[in-house]
Amino acid sequence: MIGGVRRSSVAVRDTSWPVFRALLLVFALLLPMVARAEDAEAVVRDIVAQDAAGRWKSAQHTTLAVVVHDGVRVPLTVGLVLRTGDRVQTEEARVTIGLMDGGELRVGDHADVEVRSRSAIQRLGDVYYHVLSAFTVQFGTVQTAVEGTRFIVLDEPTGVDVRVVEGRVDRKSTRLNSSHT
């Protein structure tokens, strides 16, 4: 005892190093996802995911929807910048993606869509497109070319279905080499 204060010989464990390492790892994984403005194609505007009771609720982030960039899967977060080649994959979640020109994509649940410059490659599920400039969508053997249009590309059991909400859509089948408007 020194001056009425008792000293303890118990060692205090410094937990800051593992926390620092974890933050460094998260930063290293997310750094490639933070794109420069000229690389940006789109941004995640809204996420709606199902809760444990099956109700659809707004969310700031979720593991039920991910972005795949260079083979790395990262849970989606509102505000995340998407670059050319990024794939958005949803399970029990729906995502609104804002395009840099003001248009948007509404990705349904159980969908897979790759964001490209003025285009998208849709691999699975339903996506609603509202585009303000020239834009193309490839889904299997069907390609659509549009400008200033609202349309939805549906993944139906009988095949791909394109439904026009507003404007004009040029639909071509690469398999049959035919065109529909």
Side-chain angles (χ1 to χ4, degrees):
M1 192 185 298
I2 303 175
V5 177
R6 185 175 183 181
R7 292 199 175 237
S8 172
S9 62
V10 176
V12 177
R13 185 174 173 193
D14 182 11
T15 58
S16 62
W17 180 245
V19 171
F20 174 75
R21 285 183 18 199
L23 287 172
L24 187 60
L25 178 62
V26 167
F27 180 73
L29 288 173
L30 292 180
L31 184 60
M33 302 303 298
V34 179
R36 297 185 315 266
E38 63 267 15
D39 293 337
E41 294 297 338
V43 64
V44 176
R45 284 193 189 151
D46 188 41
I47 301 170
V48 179
Q50 282 189 330
D51 64 12
R55 294 178 298 237
W56 292 95
K57 301 235 176 179
S58 185
Q60 287 298 305
H61 57 85
T62 184
T63 58
L64 297 173
V66 298
V67 62
V68 181
H69 178 78
D70 292 335
V72 178
R73 296 171 56 90
V74 177
L76 278 187
T77 301
V78 171
L80 181 69
V81 173
L82 302 174
R83 300 183 312 183
T84 296
D86 285 351
R87 287 175 65 178
V88 173
Q89 297 175 332
T90 61
E91 293 175 20
E92 298 298 327
R94 299 172 183 157
V95 178
T96 301
I97 299 171
L99 301 174
M100 290 301 144
D101 70 356
E104 73 177 19
L105 281 58
R106 293 184 193 161
V107 183
D109 51 321
H110 303 286
D112 182 345
V113 64
E114 181 177 333
V115 178
R116 299 211 160 252
S117 179
R118 296 188 184 146
S119 68
I121 300 173
Q122 187 174 335
R123 292 182 173 85
L124 182 69
D126 302 340
V127 179
Y128 169 84
Y129 296 87
H130 174 203
V131 296
L132 304 177
S133 58
F135 198 85
T136 60
V137 177
Q138 180 73 40
F139 191 160
T141 61
V142 175
Q143 182 174 351
T144 58
V146 301
E147 187 166 352
T149 305
R150 297 173 195 242
F151 64 102
I152 186 166
V153 179
L154 302 165
D155 186 5
E156 299 286 350
T158 57
V160 178
D161 187 14
V162 179
R163 296 185 187 161
V164 180
V165 177
E166 176 183 299
R168 184 173 181 267
V169 173
D170 183 28
R171 175 182 175 213
K172 294 180 181 178
S173 173
T174 55
R175 179 184 305 152
L176 301 175
N177 212 10
S178 62
S179 178
H180 303 283
T181 301

